[in-house]
Amino acid sequence: MNSKRVISNEKAVACLVLISLFMAVAAGNFYNDFDLTWGDGRAKILENGQLLTLSLDKASGSGFKSKNQYLFGKIDMQLKLVPGNSAGTVTAYYLSSLGSTHDEIDFEFLGNLSGDPYILHTNVFTQGKGDREQQFYLWFDPTKDFHTYSVLWNSQVIIFSVDGTPIREFKNLASKGIAFPKDQPMWLYSSLWNADDWATRGGLVKTDWTQAPFTASYRSFNAQACTWSSGSSSCSSKSNNDSWMTQSLDTTGQQRIKWVQKNYMIYNYCTDTKRFPQGLPPECSLA
Ligand SMILES: *[C@@H]1O[C@H](CO)[C@@H](O)[C@H](O)[C@H]1NC(C)=O
Ligand SMILES: *[C@@H]1O[C@H](CO)[C@@H](O)[C@H](O)[C@H]1NC(C)=O
């Protein structure tokens, strides 16, 4: 009887451990989801795994990387960017596979002088080839509060969104001979670094190191995604909602993307005829 009791206590403890582990995972915990990969202590996980910060000073920037590799997913993260004079700094937040034929889905935030607008720079690489930049101003100050930056990536489309508003769509046009990222699992990365040779007004405005350290913050990571490990994929479906797998832009989404592109897009490779004198990339006329 005594030994039975001991066993059931052990079971109860194991059960509690499992429940709390599950809750930590469900809440999105930076300790579980990410490794701090560089920056020698400048990247920090705080508040029991609910907050992550990156910092940059003259000696180094910092960065983190997901533990998981993803092959399709809807991935959300809230970011609060470097406040004040952030000129010269770049906060990169992206999905990428490895190697010379890598695929990549990029958000990069280019800092600016106090009061001047950040640029949100986006790009899509397929089979190692990028050159698909689109840049935007934001319709809010991204340094005052956290805002949600999302990538929806399924077999048909990649949609970049900001606070749920789609800003960019990259369709699967493989049937027209245009490569689409669909075979290479990607890690999620973020880093904060100095790029004052090009980032702000094309490199005219330099980083003011008297303002260092510069800090960007992250919270509320959420991935409804297929994770890839040792050659096979497993698709989590919290609340059994797999709608992201087939999601595309609905009519409202199309209207909102038009609104963003009309009012906030400041560069589009698809209209840069000077840059592509031999003709614009093929997806530009098909999209
Ligand atoms: C910084 O502000 C200037 C002046 O408003 C603007 O031209 C530029 O696009 C802004 N952003 C960056 C990253 O240079
Ligand atoms: C599933 O998620 C989508 C958004 O990704 C939402 O619009 C839809 O209502 C959800 N469906 C259910 C049954 O929760």
Side-chain angles (χ1 to χ4, degrees), residues 58-75:
K58 202 162 185 180
S60 178
S62 52
F64 64 87
K65 180 182 178 184
S66 61
K67 291 187 195 283
N68 284 320
Q69 280 179 286
Y70 303 101
L71 187 59
F72 304 130
K74 180 173 186 304
I75 296 176

Side-chain angles (χ1 to χ4, degrees), residues 105 107 122-124 132 134 136 150-152 154 156-161 165-173 180 246-251 253-258 260-261 265 268-270 283-284 286-287:
I105 304 170
F107 279 108
T122 64
N123 205 351
V124 176
R132 298 194 174 97
Q134 288 187 352
F136 306 83
S150 311
V151 173
L152 171 75
N154 62 34
Q156 291 310 307
V157 73
I158 294 165
I159 299 172
F160 296 73
S161 302
T165 295
I167 61 164
R168 174 171 189 175
E169 183 186 35
F170 184 79
K171 285 185 190 154
N172 185 343
L173 297 167
F180 185 83
T246 51
Q247 201 177 323
S248 59
L249 274 188
D250 58 10
T251 320
Q254 280 162 12
Q255 283 165 358
R256 294 176 90 189
I257 219 170
K258 274 197 191 123
V260 173
Q261 299 203 341
M265 184 150 73
N268 183 1
Y269 76 109
C270 274
E283 69 271 16
C284 294
L286 295 168

